[in-house]
Amino acid sequence: MQTSTMRANGAAIRALRERTGISQANLARTTDIRRETLNRIESGARPGTPAQIVAIAKALSVPIVSIIHDR
Protein backbone atom coordinates (compact mmCIF):
# COMPACT_ATOMS: atom_id res chain seq x y z
CA MET A 1 0.00 0.00 0.00
CA GLN A 2 1.33 3.40 -0.98
CA THR A 3 0.90 6.45 1.24
CA SER A 4 0.77 9.97 -0.06
CA THR A 5 1.84 13.17 1.58
CA MET A 6 0.47 16.64 1.10
CA ARG A 7 2.87 18.89 -0.81
CA ALA A 8 2.47 22.46 -1.90
CA ASN A 9 2.22 22.91 -5.65
CA GLY A 10 4.81 25.62 -6.01
CA ALA A 11 3.98 26.40 -9.62
CA ALA A 12 0.32 26.92 -8.72
CA ILE A 13 1.24 29.16 -5.79
CA ARG A 14 3.53 31.27 -7.96
CA ALA A 15 0.93 31.55 -10.75
CA LEU A 16 -1.84 32.56 -8.32
CA ARG A 17 0.43 35.02 -6.55
CA GLU A 18 1.52 36.64 -9.80
CA ARG A 19 -2.03 36.70 -11.19
CA THR A 20 -3.20 38.62 -8.12
CA GLY A 21 -0.24 41.00 -8.28
CA ILE A 22 1.17 40.07 -4.88
CA SER A 23 4.94 40.13 -4.63
CA GLN A 24 6.77 37.27 -3.03
CA ALA A 25 7.95 39.63 -0.28
CA ASN A 26 4.38 40.74 0.49
CA LEU A 27 3.09 37.17 0.56
CA ALA A 28 5.94 36.24 2.87
CA ARG A 29 5.04 39.08 5.23
CA THR A 30 1.33 38.27 5.14
CA THR A 31 1.88 34.58 5.88
CA ASP A 32 4.77 35.06 8.34
CA ILE A 33 6.91 32.76 6.18
CA ARG A 34 10.48 33.80 5.40
CA ARG A 35 10.82 34.96 1.79
CA GLU A 36 13.61 32.45 1.22
CA THR A 37 11.35 29.64 2.45
CA LEU A 38 8.49 30.82 0.26
CA ASN A 39 10.88 30.93 -2.70
CA ARG A 40 11.86 27.30 -2.03
CA ILE A 41 8.21 26.25 -1.74
CA GLU A 42 7.40 27.96 -5.04
CA SER A 43 10.40 26.35 -6.77
CA GLY A 44 9.49 22.90 -5.45
CA ALA A 45 12.62 22.57 -3.33
CA ARG A 46 10.50 22.39 -0.15
CA PRO A 47 7.07 20.78 0.28
CA GLY A 48 5.76 23.37 2.74
CA THR A 49 4.31 22.44 6.09
CA PRO A 50 0.55 22.05 6.50
CA ALA A 51 0.46 25.32 8.45
CA GLN A 52 2.36 27.12 5.69
CA ILE A 53 0.07 25.72 3.01
CA VAL A 54 -3.01 26.85 4.95
CA ALA A 55 -1.52 30.33 5.48
CA ILE A 56 -0.66 30.68 1.78
CA ALA A 57 -4.13 29.56 0.66
CA LYS A 58 -5.75 31.99 3.09
CA ALA A 59 -3.54 34.88 1.98
CA LEU A 60 -4.30 34.15 -1.68
CA SER A 61 -8.03 33.64 -0.92
CA VAL A 62 -8.10 30.23 -2.60
CA PRO A 63 -9.14 26.76 -1.43
CA ILE A 64 -6.25 24.64 -0.15
CA VAL A 65 -6.87 22.03 -2.85
CA SER A 66 -5.89 24.59 -5.50
CA ILE A 67 -2.31 24.79 -4.19
CA ILE A 68 -1.52 21.19 -3.23
CA HIS A 69 -0.86 17.94 -5.00
CA ASP A 70 -0.28 14.41 -3.75
CA ARG A 71 3.04 12.66 -4.22
Side-chain angles (χ1 to χ4, degrees):
M1 186 164 116
Q2 188 178 30
T3 59
S4 61
T5 58
M6 183 171 66
R7 289 185 57 94
N9 182 331
I13 292 169
R14 178 172 285 148
L16 286 164
R17 178 180 59 73
E18 289 176 347
R19 192 175 323 148
T20 57
I22 299 172
S23 71
Q24 197 174 66
N26 281 339
L27 183 58
R29 272 192 298 276
T30 301
T31 58
D32 201 27
I33 299 171
R34 293 181 64 219
R35 195 197 61 74
E36 295 82 5
T37 301
L38 183 57
N39 188 354
R40 288 184 167 155
I41 292 170
E42 285 189 357
S43 71
R46 291 189 65 163
T49 67
Q52 289 169 331
I53 293 169
V54 169
I56 292 167
K58 185 175 181 179
L60 294 173
S61 300
V62 297
I64 292 170
V65 297
S66 66
I67 62 167
I68 63 167
H69 55 86
D70 290 331
R71 288 206 185 208

